[in-house]
Amino acid sequence: MLIFDRSRPGRAALAQLLPETAESPLIPGHLLRNTPPALPEVSELDAVRHYTRLSQQNYAIDTQFYPLGSCTMKYNPKACHDLASLPGFLDTHPLGLERAGQGTLACLYELQEMLREITGMAGVSLACAAGAQGEFAGVAMIRAYHLSRGDSARTEMLVPDAAHGTNPASATMGGFRVREIATDSDGNVDLAALDQAVGPQTAGIMLTNPSTLGVFDQHIQAIADVVHKAGGLLYYDGANLNAIAGKVRPGDMGFDVIHLNLHKTFSTPHGGGGPGAGPVGVDHKLLPFLPLPVIVADGARYRMLTESEQPQSIGHLVTFAGNVGVLLRAYIYIRMLGRAGLERVAEFSTLNANYLLRKLVENGFEPAFPQRRAAHEFIITLKRLAKERHVTALDFAKRLLDYGVHAPTVYFPLLIPECFLIEPTETESKETLDAFIQVMAAILQEAETEPDRVKSAPHSLPVRRLDEVRAARHPDLAYRSE
């Protein structure tokens, strides 16, 4: 029920009302509205109950299991939020950051250095307000590098068919023509296809490793050799760094440019579109092109590089120092875990994924790559159910909601039929994983014996099955009284 449906004329939270004669000294009179807004007229208790009820209907990592592959829904330690909210951080005005915010700048500088060490790159910029903007920055740096050498013939960006959709989008925005590279039967980049595609027109290749197929590319060194020999650069999509942090570094694999999604590896909130942070890193030859701001240390003082000091930079991509609150949460998370803790994250996330994969196979599920071990996520395919019982991956995902489990990513990557991409993260207990296995097995049994029950799910939620395309493209978010 909408709160407007509870509205009764004249009902109000009287203790919250301003006196009728009150005027705001902050808003000029000509900007004040002449008619009252169409707000619901409810008591304070009705309003409290309404919004409390809505909050209880929310699905969140703080309350339930969230195996959303390809976009880590890690637990966000509350200590990170508390420390990033200290008055010394919150009360710093961005215009006075260099003069009065030396402590904040010191933290950001140390975060740059820690990310540089974790990734094996020569330099890092914390600029970029999201991973997608980080991708654009990386592509822009590749373009600037080639043009700076007078090489304007490199017009193609190679992108594997298992790539995130943002990769070809970023490459296109950067002015490149996208050329797709096939995946082989083991989930690696097809080296024969790569050999045929590279040439003097190749600006670079965009890779996620481990890939969206949940496996570490066994040919990464050969890929680096082929692309570098052709004069191209390697771009690392850091979406799955969580599986290898502290174990393998993109810089050591041969990558020239990286971006990181802090929420996927360093436990900052995934805020439904923002605010986010997508730092970028580069090797030595791309250092002059890093986006601003870049924090530097002058003795005991910290400051931001100016455009005159970094004349080949691709420029400012965020105002002031970016989304500092998000960056501070990642800084605190890394400091809390330390080197050994980050290694355990990679170990436990991979262990959890392989435990789930093994148990689901034992319960009758079909892995997409049975010959490969999982990284921190893996894929099962429900193509047999779709063919024999007409129960699709979408049906299966909807039925999970009835059991109180958030659905994993479905139908991505596109090359796996009836795809189910599962990522448990390192923060879930064995008991939670076992409960998820039981739910999956129960739904599989239902699909065999009561397929219509699965196909008509969800049954227990406040709303039944939505037209997802219509809900995404035509959201009805504003109340209008008829």
Side-chain angles (χ1 to χ4, degrees), residues 35-55:
T35 56
L39 297 177
E41 298 180 65
V42 295
S43 70
E44 181 170 334
L45 184 56
D46 282 343
V48 168
R49 286 175 174 167
H50 175 76
Y51 287 107
T52 300
R53 198 160 28 246
L54 288 182
S55 72

Side-chain angles (χ1 to χ4, degrees), residues 73-321:
M73 294 298 169
K74 297 174 64 159
Y75 171 69
N76 305 142
K78 300 300 178 283
C80 297
H81 301 271
D82 288 345
L83 293 174
S85 302
L86 288 172
F89 293 129
L90 288 184
D91 296 341
T92 302
H93 194 284
L95 288 174
L97 191 57
E98 289 195 14
R99 177 175 51 84
Q102 282 294 301
T104 301
L105 286 179
C107 293
L108 298 181
Y109 176 78
E110 290 181 16
L111 177 60
Q112 282 181 182
E113 292 300 293
M114 291 189 294
L115 295 179
R116 186 178 63 79
E117 173 62 25
I118 291 169
T119 58
M121 307 307 287
V124 167
S125 166
L126 302 179
C128 301
Q133 192 183 39
E135 281 191 31
F136 175 73
V139 169
M141 284 189 281
I142 291 175
R143 185 178 185 82
Y145 167 75
H146 289 310
L147 292 178
S148 73
R149 299 166 56 247
D151 189 349
S152 59
R154 299 191 178 275
T155 56
E156 283 189 357
M157 186 67 73
L158 308 179
V159 178
D161 55 6
H164 292 103
T166 49
N167 290 175
S170 299
T172 301
M173 285 184 65
F176 293 107
R177 184 168 59 252
V178 174
R179 185 162 182 173
E180 188 175 279
I181 306 297
T183 297
D184 67 18
S185 58
D186 288 328
N188 301 312
V189 169
D190 189 311
L191 289 179
L194 179 65
D195 275 330
Q196 291 182 350
V198 296
Q201 78 285 356
T202 302
I205 184 169
M206 302 181 78
L207 285 173
T208 308
N209 195 25
S211 73
T212 62
L213 298 172
V215 296
F216 190 91
D217 199 303
Q218 298 162 310
H219 304 143
I220 185 59
Q221 195 60 62
I223 294 169
D225 291 343
V226 169
V227 175
H228 283 154
K229 187 176 180 181
L233 302 180
L234 266 70
Y235 179 91
Y236 184 80
D237 179 329
N240 291 340
L241 186 74
N242 198 58
I244 61 171
K247 299 291 185 182
V248 184
R249 305 191 304 176
D252 297 336
M253 294 184 224
F255 285 93
D256 304 286
V257 190
I258 66 162
H259 91 267
L260 302 173
N261 305 72
L262 292 188
H263 71 275
K264 293 193 173 190
T265 307
F266 302 108
S267 208
T268 62
H270 186 283
V280 291
V282 294
D283 65 5
H284 286 283
K285 60 180 172 292
L286 289 168
L287 281 174
F289 307 103
L290 272 176
L292 300 174
V294 174
I295 315 297
V296 294
D298 281 345
R301 300 284 297 175
Y302 299 92
R303 65 181 181 85
M304 301 182 200
L305 279 182
T306 63
E307 292 181 355
S308 61
E309 293 174 296
Q310 189 87 343
Q312 289 183 285
S313 166
I314 60 171
H316 279 273
L317 295 181
V318 291
T319 56
F320 302 110

Side-chain angles (χ1 to χ4, degrees), residues 39 144 246 299 347 377 438 448:
L39 297 177
E347 292 166 355
E377 62 187 2
Q438 290 180 4
E448 298 286 1

